[in-house]
PDB file of all heavy atoms in Angstrom:
ATOM      1  N   SER A 114     -13.901  -8.969   9.168  1.00 97.00           N
ATOM      2  CA  SER A 114     -15.025  -9.567   9.888  1.00 97.00           C
ATOM      3  C   SER A 114     -15.438 -10.895   9.281  1.00 97.00           C
ATOM      4  O   SER A 114     -16.256 -11.619   9.900  1.00 97.00           O
ATOM      5  CB  SER A 114     -16.192  -8.589   9.889  1.00 97.00           C
ATOM      6  OG  SER A 114     -16.538  -8.220   8.583  1.00 97.00           O
ATOM      7  N   LYS A 115     -14.921 -11.259   8.118  1.00 97.00           N
ATOM      8  CA  LYS A 115     -15.273 -12.521   7.487  1.00 97.00           C
ATOM      9  C   LYS A 115     -14.109 -13.488   7.452  1.00 97.00           C
ATOM     10  O   LYS A 115     -14.260 -14.667   7.830  1.00 97.00           O
ATOM     11  CB  LYS A 115     -15.769 -12.221   6.049  1.00 97.00           C
ATOM     12  CG  LYS A 115     -17.112 -11.537   5.982  1.00 97.00           C
ATOM     13  CD  LYS A 115     -17.586 -11.396   4.536  1.00 97.00           C
ATOM     14  CE  LYS A 115     -18.976 -10.804   4.459  1.00 97.00           C
ATOM     15  NZ  LYS A 115     -19.455 -10.595   3.084  1.00 97.00           N
ATOM     16  N   PHE A 116     -12.963 -13.038   6.986  1.00 97.00           N
ATOM     17  CA  PHE A 116     -11.808 -13.919   6.889  1.00 97.00           C
ATOM     18  C   PHE A 116     -10.543 -13.079   6.727  1.00 97.00           C
ATOM     19  O   PHE A 116     -10.653 -11.868   6.529  1.00 97.00           O
ATOM     20  CB  PHE A 116     -11.945 -14.928   5.720  1.00 97.00           C
ATOM     21  CG  PHE A 116     -12.520 -14.298   4.470  1.00 97.00           C
ATOM     22  CD1 PHE A 116     -11.752 -13.437   3.676  1.00 97.00           C
ATOM     23  CD2 PHE A 116     -13.805 -14.571   4.087  1.00 97.00           C
ATOM     24  CE1 PHE A 116     -12.263 -12.886   2.514  1.00 97.00           C
ATOM     25  CE2 PHE A 116     -14.353 -14.014   2.932  1.00 97.00           C
ATOM     26  CZ  PHE A 116     -13.588 -13.157   2.163  1.00 97.00           C
ATOM     27  N   ASN A 117      -9.417 -13.713   6.861  1.00 97.00           N
ATOM     28  CA  ASN A 117      -8.147 -13.025   6.671  1.00 97.00           C
ATOM     29  C   ASN A 117      -7.738 -13.014   5.202  1.00 97.00           C
ATOM     30  O   ASN A 117      -7.963 -13.978   4.497  1.00 97.00           O
ATOM     31  CB  ASN A 117      -7.044 -13.683   7.507  1.00 97.00           C
ATOM     32  CG  ASN A 117      -7.329 -13.575   8.988  1.00 97.00           C
ATOM     33  OD1 ASN A 117      -8.139 -12.796   9.417  1.00 97.00           O
ATOM     34  ND2 ASN A 117      -6.659 -14.429   9.779  1.00 97.00           N
ATOM     35  N   ILE A 118      -7.116 -11.914   4.753  1.00 98.00           N
ATOM     36  CA  ILE A 118      -6.700 -11.791   3.370  1.00 98.00           C
ATOM     37  C   ILE A 118      -5.250 -11.464   3.298  1.00 98.00           C
ATOM     38  O   ILE A 118      -4.755 -10.492   3.880  1.00 98.00           O
ATOM     39  CB  ILE A 118      -7.534 -10.695   2.679  1.00 98.00           C
ATOM     40  CG1 ILE A 118      -9.042 -11.006   2.759  1.00 98.00           C
ATOM     41  CG2 ILE A 118      -7.133 -10.550   1.207  1.00 98.00           C
ATOM     42  CD1 ILE A 118      -9.933  -9.912   2.182  1.00 98.00           C
ATOM     43  N   HIS A 119      -4.508 -12.287   2.565  1.00 98.00           N
ATOM     44  CA  HIS A 119      -3.077 -12.092   2.413  1.00 98.00           C
ATOM     45  C   HIS A 119      -2.783 -11.039   1.349  1.00 98.00           C
ATOM     46  O   HIS A 119      -3.525 -10.933   0.366  1.00 98.00           O
ATOM     47  CB  HIS A 119      -2.383 -13.412   2.023  1.00 98.00           C
ATOM     48  CG  HIS A 119      -0.947 -13.257   1.678  1.00 98.00           C
ATOM     49  ND1 HIS A 119      -0.523 -13.011   0.379  1.00 98.00           N
ATOM     50  CD2 HIS A 119       0.195 -13.249   2.425  1.00 98.00           C
ATOM     51  CE1 HIS A 119       0.815 -12.899   0.384  1.00 98.00           C
ATOM     52  NE2 HIS A 119       1.230 -13.051   1.604  1.00 98.00           N
ATOM     53  N   PHE A 120      -1.718 -10.294   1.546  1.00 98.00           N
ATOM     54  CA  PHE A 120      -1.319  -9.299   0.533  1.00 98.00           C
ATOM     55  C   PHE A 120       0.182  -9.306   0.320  1.00 98.00           C
ATOM     56  O   PHE A 120       0.960  -9.662   1.226  1.00 98.00           O
ATOM     57  CB  PHE A 120      -1.766  -7.883   0.938  1.00 98.00           C
ATOM     58  CG  PHE A 120      -1.120  -7.384   2.211  1.00 98.00           C
ATOM     59  CD1 PHE A 120       0.114  -6.709   2.176  1.00 98.00           C
ATOM     60  CD2 PHE A 120      -1.736  -7.502   3.415  1.00 98.00           C
ATOM     61  CE1 PHE A 120       0.722  -6.235   3.324  1.00 98.00           C
ATOM     62  CE2 PHE A 120      -1.167  -7.031   4.617  1.00 98.00           C
ATOM     63  CZ  PHE A 120       0.077  -6.390   4.546  1.00 98.00           C
ATOM     64  N   ASP A 121       0.557  -8.965  -0.895  1.00 98.00           N
ATOM     65  CA  ASP A 121       1.969  -8.648  -1.224  1.00 98.00           C
ATOM     66  C   ASP A 121       2.155  -7.127  -1.087  1.00 98.00           C
ATOM     67  O   ASP A 121       3.179  -6.668  -0.585  1.00 98.00           O
ATOM     68  CB  ASP A 121       2.314  -9.141  -2.627  1.00 98.00           C
ATOM     69  CG  ASP A 121       2.267 -10.626  -2.723  1.00 98.00           C
ATOM     70  OD1 ASP A 121       3.096 -11.281  -2.055  1.00 98.00           O
ATOM     71  OD2 ASP A 121       1.407 -11.184  -3.444  1.00 98.00           O
TER      72      ASP A 121
END
Side-chain angles (χ1 to χ4, degrees):
S114 55
K115 289 185 176 178
F116 41 73
N117 297 343
I118 302 175
H119 172 269
F120 64 86
D121 295 294

